[in-house]
Amino acid sequence: MGVVNRLVGGMPIPRMVRVRQEFDGARLTDVGGAVRETLRGSGVLRGVKPGMRVAVTAGSRGIANIALILRTITEALREAGAAPFVVPAMGSHGGATAEGQLDVLRSLGITEDYLGCPVESSMEVREIGRTPDGRPVQIDARAAAADGLVAVNRVKPHTSFTGPYESGLMKMLAIGLAKQAGAEVCHQEGYANMAANIEKYGRAILRDAKVLFGVAILENAYDQTCEVAALPPEEIAKREPALLLRAKALMPGILLPNVDVLVVDRMGKNISGLGMDPHITGCFATGYASGPPRPGKLAVLDLTDETHGNANGIGVADVTTRRLLERFDPEVTYPNAITATLTQAVRMPLVMDSHKLAIQAAIKTAPGFDKARIRMVRLRDTLHLSEIFISEAMLPDAAANPRVEVLGEPEELSFDGEGNLF
């Protein structure tokens, strides 16, 4: 055993208890039907003419029911006489390559066979206009050449800035659809200006591109589709701020205070733009967004398969594992950080040989001397918060909170022979 492992290897790990957190669980039971109804009821399909080629955006996030939602939209467009096709709209994600972005869509179930329409991937962009201050406005070349464009995205708080438009339709237009080249332009002035740039570039695209409508998706605290809204182009900028406020009200969280150590089993771009949603962890990569208090230490143990080696956001953690490091692909991760100018998000934390040692290192380096009473929370990831694990020291708080139910008795964490969690 090396000196690093000896320094942390004797640190006791508290017994953990499984608890259930209660959030608003209202959801759509027929997502496809709800999408069809909102498309018809909003009147947005009236602008679709027979024979039109219509580009429909698909992003890189793990949005609930996204493949079904896209299929329903493309079916409705075909029924209106159009010829829809899907374009990856994810800025520099997927390693900033056309094939890499296709791989991301396939991992989300977004394929030509499932959609029943082509998926056309390219990193080529076309300048369609200028912002009021003279900056070039660029979007996917195939979308620019189409007869119409439909923007589809989940509305959600952004991980690195705050404003009236965060993650949503305006960002999908300004950054996702702009591919790597346009996303880089939008990010170049830094996160202090991101909120203003999202609005500036988004409004320019609404003015100069052939946007037919947008479909905004809201999710509840259980990562389930709870609302969809179809917005004509003139309503996107007007209505998205209210949808964002609604999305913020629906966000889940850790309902117990004063976390000394937060352990996250897995992170990835399919979970959050920052791998782990800082609105859950409290660990932000910039000073331009805020949320819950930061834990004393954050340990993240692995990457999801769906992130394809993209470890963007690892830089907010204090400790990680060799397993995660071995799955980390800089060719996939760094284009995102370089384009977004957010290099601090990909800095490497302490790397420990196993899950157990990573948890022990987080406990040892957490503030305070009473390690026997450490307040530790373990999450599967930041999308799944209905059932989490808390340390024994947090049981009194759980018992006093009517939205938290204790589901078992305190138990030791179970590790295999290599010190990894079962």
Side-chain angles (χ1 to χ4, degrees):
M1 179 183 291
V3 62
V4 174
N5 290 356
R6 285 201 304 272
L7 283 172
V8 302
M11 183 58 52
I13 296 175
R15 296 195 300 172
M16 304 294 288
V17 184
R18 187 165 60 99
V19 301
R20 179 180 293 121
Q21 302 191 113
E22 182 182 341
F23 306 104
D24 182 356
R27 65 184 181 91
L28 296 175
T29 56
D30 179 6
V31 175
V35 173
R36 282 188 170 277
E37 183 177 339
T38 193
L39 290 176
R40 292 195 198 101
S42 63
V44 294
L45 293 172
R46 286 196 290 267
V48 181
K49 307 302 181 188
M52 293 178 73
R53 291 192 78 244
V54 178
V56 181
T57 69
S60 58
R61 300 291 184 260
I63 301 170
N65 301 300
I66 186 59
L68 172 61
I69 291 168
L70 289 172
R71 185 173 71 176
T72 306
I73 293 168
T74 57
E75 285 174 350
L77 290 168
R78 282 198 301 274
E79 290 165 5
F85 64 100
V86 165
V87 294
M90 56 185 79
S92 63
H93 300 177
T97 68
E99 185 58 37
Q101 296 202 341
L102 277 178
D103 286 342
V104 172
L105 295 190
R106 291 187 196 108
S107 73
L108 299 173
I110 301 169
T111 65
E112 293 185 347
D113 286 345
Y114 181 79
L115 297 173
C117 73
V119 178
E120 300 186 10
S121 182
S122 168
M123 298 307 292
E124 182 185 357
V125 295
R126 178 184 296 180
E127 184 176 324
I128 61 168
R130 295 268 167 167
T131 61
D133 56 354
R135 305 293 177 86
V137 178
Q138 306 169 90
I139 66 170
D140 179 285
R142 286 166 168 76
D147 302 308
L149 167 65
V150 176
V152 183
N153 203 16
R154 176 179 56 197
V155 177
K156 189 176 181 181
H158 196 273
T159 57
S160 300
F161 69 89
T162 299
Y165 309 100
E166 297 182 26
S167 288
L169 296 177
M170 292 287 276
K171 180 171 178 283
M172 174 59 77
L173 294 170
I175 293 180
L177 193 64
K179 313 300 283 192
Q180 192 279 332
E184 185 172 67
V185 171
C186 197
H187 281 90
Q188 201 60 49
E189 293 179 284
Y191 276 85
N193 297 293
M194 276 299 296
N197 279 340
I198 292 289
E199 181 171 2
K200 178 169 65 177
Y201 284 91
R203 286 185 182 275
I205 291 168
L206 286 169
R207 180 195 68 212
D208 295 329
K210 302 166 187 174
V211 180
L212 295 173
F213 59 90
V215 176
I217 305 160
L218 296 184
E219 293 180 355
N220 65 19
Y222 299 97
D223 188 32
Q224 299 164 328
T225 312
C226 63
E227 296 178 29
V228 289
L231 309 178
E234 65 274 14
E235 293 293 320
I236 290 175
K238 292 178 184 177
R239 291 181 55 187
E240 186 170 318
L243 291 171
L244 177 60
L245 292 176
R246 172 71 175 141
K248 289 182 177 182
L250 291 166
M251 284 282 291
I254 298 170
L255 298 180
L256 302 173
N258 305 322
V259 178
D260 298 320
V261 172
L262 177 61
V263 177
V264 180
D265 286 359
R266 59 182 197 159
M267 62 175 289
K269 291 294 287 188
N270 60 308
I271 291 169
S272 170
L274 206 62
M276 301 167 284
D277 192 334
H279 294 282
I280 306 301
T281 66
C283 301
F284 291 84
T286 77
Y288 303 108
S290 61
R294 197 189 197 285
K297 286 292 184 288
L298 169 63
V300 60
L301 307 182
D302 208 343
L303 294 178
T304 63
D305 293 336
E306 294 86 350
T307 201
H308 301 282
N310 192 330
N312 188 57
I314 188 64
V316 306
D318 300 289
V319 188
T320 191
T321 66
R322 195 161 303 281
R323 175 182 288 187
L324 185 150
L325 182 63
E326 289 170 351
R327 303 184 72 187
F328 160 70
D329 186 346
E331 288 296 315
V332 175
T333 304
Y334 289 167
N336 196 184
I338 292 168
T339 300
T341 71
L342 200 61
T343 54
Q344 59 267 42
V346 295
R347 294 171 181 165
M348 194 56 60
L350 287 177
V351 178
M352 304 304 295
D353 286 340
S354 67
H355 292 170
K356 183 177 183 181
L357 287 165
I359 295 169
Q360 288 173 311
I363 294 171
K364 185 175 180 68
T365 58
F369 292 100
D370 190 5
K371 307 301 186 184
R373 299 285 301 164
I374 201 84
R375 295 174 64 87
M376 189 165 90
V377 173
R378 179 186 170 198
L379 311 178
R380 176 187 173 192
D381 54 52
T382 58
L383 281 180
H384 299 92
L385 295 174
S386 58
E387 290 191 9
I388 65 175
F389 290 87
I390 64 172
S391 62
E392 206 167 357
M394 301 178 74
L395 278 174
D397 289 314
N401 191 321
R403 294 174 60 193
V404 178
E405 178 187 0
V406 177
L407 299 178
E409 297 296 323
E411 296 182 1
E412 303 286 349
L413 291 179
S414 297
F415 300 95
D416 63 20
E418 296 182 347
N420 293 317
L421 289 162
F422 284 107

